[in-house]
Amino acid sequence: MKINLLLAASCFLLFSGATNNRKPSVKMIDPVDFSHVKITDNFWGPRLKSHATTTLAVCIDQIENQTGRIQNFENAAKGEGKHSGIFYDDSDVYKALEGIAYTLKNNPDPELEKKADEWIDKFAAAQQPDGYINTFYTLTGLDKRWRNMDKHEMYCAGHMTEAAVAYYQATGKHKLLDVAIRMADHMINIFGPGKRDWVPGHEEIELALVKLYGVTKDERYLNFANWLLEERGHGHGTKGGEGDWNIAYYQDDKPVREMTDIAGHAVRAMYLYCGMADVAALKNDTGYISALNRLWDDVVLRNMYVTGGIGSSHHNEGFTEDYDLPNYDAYCETCASVGMVYWNSRMNQFTGDSKYVDVLERSMYNGALAGISLSGDRFFYVNPLASKGKHHRKAWYGTACCPSQISRFIPSIGNYIYGTSADAVWVNLYIGNTSEFNIGKTLVKLQQETDYPWNGTVKLTVQSPMKKEIRLRIPGWCKSYKITVNGVKKSTAIEKGYAVLQKKWKAGDEITLTMDMPVEVVAADPRVKEDVGKRAIQRGPLVYCAEQADNANDFDKLTLSAATRFTTDFNPSLLNGVMTIKAGADKEIMFIPYYSWDNRDAGEMKVWMDYNSAK
Ligand code: FUB
Ligand code: ZN
């Protein structure tokens, strides 16, 4: 049964590949890689362009000129000079390179590729003869390496590995892949069963090693990822290293398969869960999947904001108590929202349950998308749900994980639109595109046309004959919809949130999905103290907010009630084109999509509005 997310919202009252061919897989869906998907719509299309023209240029300039991140590699190659910045700064260079690789895959650009090759030459030169690569330790004392488990050596190696795989897949060039392999072999020589224990303070290497396994098919990398996961929760972190070790903060308080509640640092938790899901999928580890299911409930039902953001506390960049979801002080790191997309996509692949894509979509269109300005050159690290007007995006950060995260996320959003299983194409997200991919020997060619998220009409044209089910996700926010095939209304079975369409498809067959997209008034779970007596506004996948720029007077007094009526109006010249919502309350309130806030003059903002239930 489909549960109504809108009465709920997050912690709200919701409720509502690579496969191992030795055993039947626990994974039922393979994602369709973004390289098979050409995005053509008016919402994401311009964002992809601005990413390629602006965001990447900002990242390159910051990395090369405004900070010493490339200089660190040059110094490390020479073995002289200082390290500048923070010990994990290499990771931003790798993440930016990963974003470049994804961009090159769909938009070849010789200049950009030359820049990437230049960087890669510098990385390779900075690699030590034994395979180790990390500019911080190379420049501050290699004798100190592999002593402090929180010094992000494996985190940086993981991001380098992800970039290496992405660049190899985009260009066929394997220089960086060779660097990644040498670093992985270096780690495997030192750590592992019968060798040294190690608990990476910041997860990331696990999912990266699975990607490395994906391209090399060398099982040592998969097994090492699995071993690293199993290292957690046995006290190795407190025994083995120097420095403070807070077992819950690092997700080292219990063995991963026994985990029940999310705790500690939010981004670390997301990367951990992705690594667990990846290993589970290849090793058919149902114990990991059970743990992930428990953790998912804990995250989504008790610890997630209506924006799909997670990790409310500035103190630990993570979690405190259940239902502790402050608005002004919300942390909601951009990386954590992107992590929710990564994790929920994997969860959906185990079960074919659309509830995971509902969360993915919530985090993507709200928590993550707010992380970048409409101009593509400024970034939020922290994403509060209310502001007194002092919180603004910046061109870069000392810790620049969020800009570099966004720069690898945006060009790869095509990853989340389709999935495949032996008998079906799964349509997860509604984004205009043309796509071509295979299910076994069957060619699948599809065209999606839509103005989503502004309206809920989607036209899907089959462009090549095929005999596969088409499974259309009916989003959790959607209460009423209609499906036609070649103009004829269809009533279909709904399985785990997907409408199942079966037919021998011909080229030119047209499916239309028309989803009603009314304005919804959302209440939080009453245990969220900050939202008692408040309501938020959502339309389709978008959470809305009121900004002072549109509601100049008496911002503190804006109030909704049961009598409030809403009207919508698409304004093409506001905020690059947005559907605005006006609430005809005592005093009219204008709402804009949350992702678009702080793109005009500084002012107050809020998502959760006072609500007068007496009226
Ligand atoms: O520690 C590396 C990154 O910096 C984390 O993922 C972010 O939360 C920030 O602390
Ligand atoms: Zn971040």
Side-chain angles (χ1 to χ4, degrees), residues 565-600:
R565 294 290 166 262
F566 299 93
T567 53
T568 57
D569 180 34
F570 188 78
N571 185 341
S573 49
L574 181 68
L575 298 165
N576 289 359
V578 285
M579 188 71 78
T580 61
I581 298 178
K582 283 199 177 129
D586 291 347
K587 183 176 161 17
E588 188 178 82
I589 311 173
M590 166 139 157
F591 293 91
I592 56 163
Y594 172 75
Y595 75 74
S596 66
W597 87 276
D598 193 45
N599 279 286
R600 295 174 292 176

Side-chain angles (χ1 to χ4, degrees), residues 87-88 91 95 150 152 155 159 202 249 265-268 271 316-317 331 333 335 381 399-402 405:
F87 57 84
Y88 45 73
S91 62
K95 279 155 77 188
D150 189 32
H152 290 43
Y155 170 83
H159 280 305
H202 195 313
Y249 175 76
H265 184 272
V267 182
R268 293 172 208 235
Y271 290 178
N316 62 351
E317 298 190 304
Y331 198 69
E333 183 178 340
C335 287
Y381 187 129
T399 289
C401 53
C402 295
Q405 185 79 274

Side-chain angles (χ1 to χ4, degrees), residues 322-339:
D322 287 350
Y323 307 105
D324 175 24
L325 297 169
N327 293 316
Y328 286 102
D329 291 333
Y331 198 69
C332 284
E333 183 178 340
T334 301
C335 287
S337 287
V338 173

Side-chain angles (χ1 to χ4, degrees), residues 323 325-329 527-532 534 608:
Y323 307 105
L325 297 169
N327 293 316
Y328 286 102
D329 291 333
R527 286 165 285 193
V528 180
K529 286 198 205 89
E530 286 238 1
D531 298 338
V532 171
K534 296 191 183 343
W608 290 98

